Each structure stands twice: as structure tokens, then as C-alpha cells.
Amino acid sequence: MRFDLTDLRLFLAVVDAGSITKGAAAVGLSLPAASERLRDMEAAGKVSLLDRGRRGVVPTAAGEALAHHARIIHRQIAQMRGELGLHASGLRAIIRLATNTASLTELLPGRLSPWMAAHPQIDVELKERQSGEIARAISAGLVEIGILSDAVDTTGLQLRPFAIDRLVLVAARDHELTARKNLLFAEILDQPFISSTGALQDHIDAQVARLGARLKSRVRMSAFEGICQMAADGVGIAIMPEAAARRCGRVAKIASVRLADAWATRRLSVCVRSEADLTPPAQSLFHHLASGSQNTPP
């Protein structure tokens, strides 16, 4: 069996995502190239590694064994690179970090930048994901560090507190909803929305689906600043992290109202599979991110 590192990384990504299409995208391969690699792996081993169904793929018993060893190999390679980096001048190390939208846009930059400035030989590869995806990626060894909410299963992972993230409704200051102190999400589903993009919107859409409703989205914007400007002009309402609403409110004429739903207040944690398995640079970053644990103002 001649599996190279790309084969193993692809296989872990597919197992983690439960989808060949999503796994291929995660490692930067086209679907035809990924499918061919997986077929070659099964042919080389003369064994079926994946059960393919209409709803995705799951590893066979042989696939589970391969995934286990692939995770060990990837951790050992990461440790090797980290230790070599301590001895070789000019050799750069890379730490893979997955985070949800709120952390990526509002909380992480201020926490990450001083550490990176102090470690010029270390690069950070950032991935924006939903918390459930982050937990699975950590378990699979696809990323070293994650920042996720407490709403997902983190069994077997090591967590340290990072921050508290609250989601709020944002609207023009004269909107009728801004007179309320708090709102339930179900109360505002009849309103026109300005949607965001990425993991945060996926999280919101999941709540909409849970209620059996459909969001009346007028437009999607990637930047919170643009969302707030549209809300201020009366285009619709939006949901975003409280920290982003407070920052944008210094410029745009908006007001915010907290959502009373339990899912709208999330305790964020820094997460790793095993601190002992981290490279020295990743251990340093993990401790740095955890040391600055903070809460948003009440």
C-alpha cells in the first residue's frame, strides 16, 4: 500500500465531512481528482474503505483503521516540523486554526496579532467553520486548534475558556422592534432580513429550519459594516455578534436588541485534541489564546 500524505489528508477530510465533495474541497482537490485518489487507495489495499450512500459516505471497518493511523501520522509530522523549526533558522512553521464567525471577525484578531508579531517564523492558516465542524476537524487531526461554542459535542477534546459571544438583532434606530429589551427569534421571522455569509449564517439557518420556517432574506452581505449600513437605511433587520453591533453602531445609525433564545448566547472555548500532542509553537499559541479569556459586558 503506497499512500502518500495527500492521500491520507484527503481520506481524513472525507471521513470528517461525510462527503467526498466536501472533503476534496477541504484539501484543495477537484472532485474527479479526489475520487480517483480514493479509488486508487482502495485498489492498492484491495479493500473497501468507504461505504457510499445517497446521503454521503461513512468509513468501513478498514476505513476506521486507516483513519486512526492517518491521524497518528499527521500528528507526528506536525511534531517533527515544530521541533525542526526550533533548530533551523529560516524554517517556517504553520499552525492550522479553525474558528467560528464571531471569533474570526471580532475576538480573534486582537488576541492573535500580538502573539504572531512575537513569533515571526510561524504562520497561521485560518479556517472559518461551524462549531460542530471544528470539533470533528480537531478530532480528525485536520487542524491543531479550534475556537468553538459549547453547543456541540466535544467529548474527548481538551477545552479552555475563550469568551462569551452573544447574538443580537440589529435594526434602524426607529424600527419598532428596537423598543424591546429582548426578543425571541421566533417573534421576528416575519421580518425581512439582511443575511450574512459563512458559519454564522449556517448557524442561524439551522435555527430557522428547526422552527420549520423560512428566512425572508433580501440580500446577503459578507461584512458586518455593510449589513449595519443597510439595516440603518431600513432595508431589513439582521443578526450578528453583539461585539460587532457595538462596533458598527459607532458609525451606522442602528440599535440592537438581545435574543433571549438559549442558542444565541454561546460560551466559546479554545479546543485541542491533546495538548501533549501539539507542536511547541501550537502549545504556545494554545496557552496564549486561553490566557486571555474574557466575557462581553452584561
Side-chain angles (χ1 to χ4, degrees), residues 129-187:
R129 297 287 187 271
Q130 289 193 65
S131 292
E133 294 174 325
I134 295 170
R136 292 191 294 272
I138 291 287
S139 296
L142 297 175
V143 296
E144 287 85 15
I145 302 173
I147 300 175
L148 44 66
S149 81
D150 61 356
V152 300
D153 182 13
T154 55
T155 303
L157 305 180
Q158 296 181 3
L159 288 83
R160 299 272 189 90
F162 182 73
I164 292 179
D165 169 46
R166 294 184 178 93
L167 296 178
V168 298
L169 172 145
V170 169
R173 290 177 185 172
D174 59 355
H175 196 287
E176 60 181 359
L177 292 176
T178 60
R180 300 278 296 274
K181 289 186 177 180
N182 55 64
L183 291 159
L184 288 170
F185 186 53
E187 296 180 80

Side-chain angles (χ1 to χ4, degrees), residues 107-108 110-112 114 160-164 268 270 284-296:
L107 304 172
L108 185 61
R111 196 86 66 88
L112 180 61
R160 299 272 189 90
F162 182 73
I164 292 179
L268 303 181
V270 189
S284 173
L285 178 57
F286 176 58
H287 292 155
H288 171 79
L289 294 175
S291 68
S293 176
Q294 62 187 14
N295 293 343
T296 56

